[in-house]
Amino acid sequence: MGELIGGVWQRSGVDAVLSEGALRRPPSIFRNWITSDGSGPSGASLFKPEAGRYHLYVSLACPWAHRTIIMRNLKRLATIIDISVVHWHLGDDGWTFEPGPGVIPDGVNGINKLYQLYQLADRQCTSRVTVPVLWDKKKQTIVSNESADIIRMFNSAFDGLGAKEGDYYPKEQRAEIDEINSRIYANLNNGVYEAGFAGSQARYDAAVERVFDTLEWLEKTPGAVALSVGR
């Protein structure tokens, strides 16, 4: 494991992701937006949708990256957005493109380690190096490393370029979707990580209880799973 500090890769152990025995998940630092109509979140840099312009970096071992792969497939974006897959093992150098089953090397920037991509985007970058990453070949920078934003961009930004029809985040249901996903993210998506990285039995028990309470709630809530897109 490790992280970039001032643009320099620093190796670190499990303790680096813990704060007082609990999982520490810093916010994603690249939160720009691809938009077809020029609108986007306040403060975000906006990018135009273009076929072949963007490249997706993922790990098949990461559930956050996995949902971007699902949305890329649902919207039939394979011919519009190409992809690279890192090795499944997260070691001292973070995600790498060491040869292995399922690995798709980086044919865009020719990097061997994913942290090098973050360095290309920002020479002074201070961040954990996570997947997924959506890269802009034209501007040579990272559009986003936040999976929730990426799947919502995939949902609509490329509809005018041949993406498959289908809106998985309809306006009339967004408030309900956001409410459901907020609960799922905090207690289930992130809860399994909090249990896995727990620094004490008490924190582990609390995380596990939230995970199973949420699973039980999902089973009893009609339509909740169908509405759970993003977070």
Side-chain angles (χ1 to χ4, degrees):
M1 301 182 70
E3 59 188 324
L4 283 169
I5 300 176
V8 179
W9 180 253
Q10 304 286 339
R11 292 181 175 181
S12 57
V14 172
D15 289 345
V17 302
L18 301 178
S19 177
E20 297 181 353
L23 176 69
R24 172 178 63 90
R25 188 182 292 280
S28 302
I29 66 170
F30 295 98
R31 300 293 296 271
N32 303 307
W33 207 262
I34 301 171
T35 173
S36 58
D37 60 4
S39 64
S42 177
S45 296
L46 304 183
F47 294 71
K48 294 181 179 180
E50 296 177 17
R53 175 172 173 174
Y54 301 100
H55 190 79
L56 182 65
Y57 292 84
V58 298
S59 165
L60 302 183
C62 173
W64 307 107
H66 192 234
R67 63 179 176 174
T68 65
I69 300 172
I70 291 174
M71 185 61 77
R72 178 175 175 264
N73 290 338
L74 286 172
K75 295 293 291 187
R76 301 293 190 268
L77 295 173
T79 60
I80 297 173
I81 301 169
D82 44 20
I83 195 170
S84 290
V85 180
V86 298
H87 194 281
W88 56 268
H89 178 64
L90 183 64
D92 289 340
D93 290 324
W95 299 113
T96 73
F97 288 97
E98 290 295 319
V103 173
I104 301 177
D106 176 27
V108 175
N109 294 293
I111 59 171
N112 295 313
K113 301 174 177 64
L114 193 64
Y115 72 74
Q116 295 168 333
L117 189 71
Y118 282 64
Q119 291 171 325
L120 288 174
D122 179 2
R123 293 182 180 179
Q124 298 300 316
C125 182
T126 294
S127 174
R128 298 199 65 79
V129 175
T130 61
V131 287
V133 180
L134 187 60
W135 177 262
D136 180 4
K137 303 175 191 176
K138 192 171 185 178
K139 292 188 177 181
Q140 289 289 291
T141 194
I142 293 173
V143 177
S144 178
N145 68 331
E146 171 52 62
S147 63
D149 293 353
I150 293 172
I151 64 173
R152 289 179 179 172
M153 285 184 262
F154 286 1
N155 179 58
S156 60
F158 300 92
D159 284 358
L161 297 174
K164 185 179 180 180
E165 291 185 6
D167 184 4
Y168 297 90
Y169 191 45
K171 289 183 179 180
E172 65 275 11
Q173 292 179 296
R174 287 182 183 179
E176 186 179 3
I177 290 171
D178 291 345
E179 181 180 355
I180 290 172
N181 284 328
S182 178
R183 182 169 181 175
I184 292 174
Y185 171 76
N187 299 309
L188 180 57
N189 297 149
N190 207 45
V192 294
Y193 283 88
E194 291 181 355
F197 284 100
S200 69
Q201 186 65 44
R203 290 190 181 277
Y204 172 82
D205 291 342
V208 168
E209 183 176 358
R210 293 202 312 275
V211 166
F212 282 95
D213 283 348
T214 304
L215 289 172
E216 184 177 354
W217 169 73
L218 284 170
E219 289 181 353
K220 294 179 179 179
T221 307
V225 174
L227 287 171
S228 60
V229 175
R231 70 171 170 90

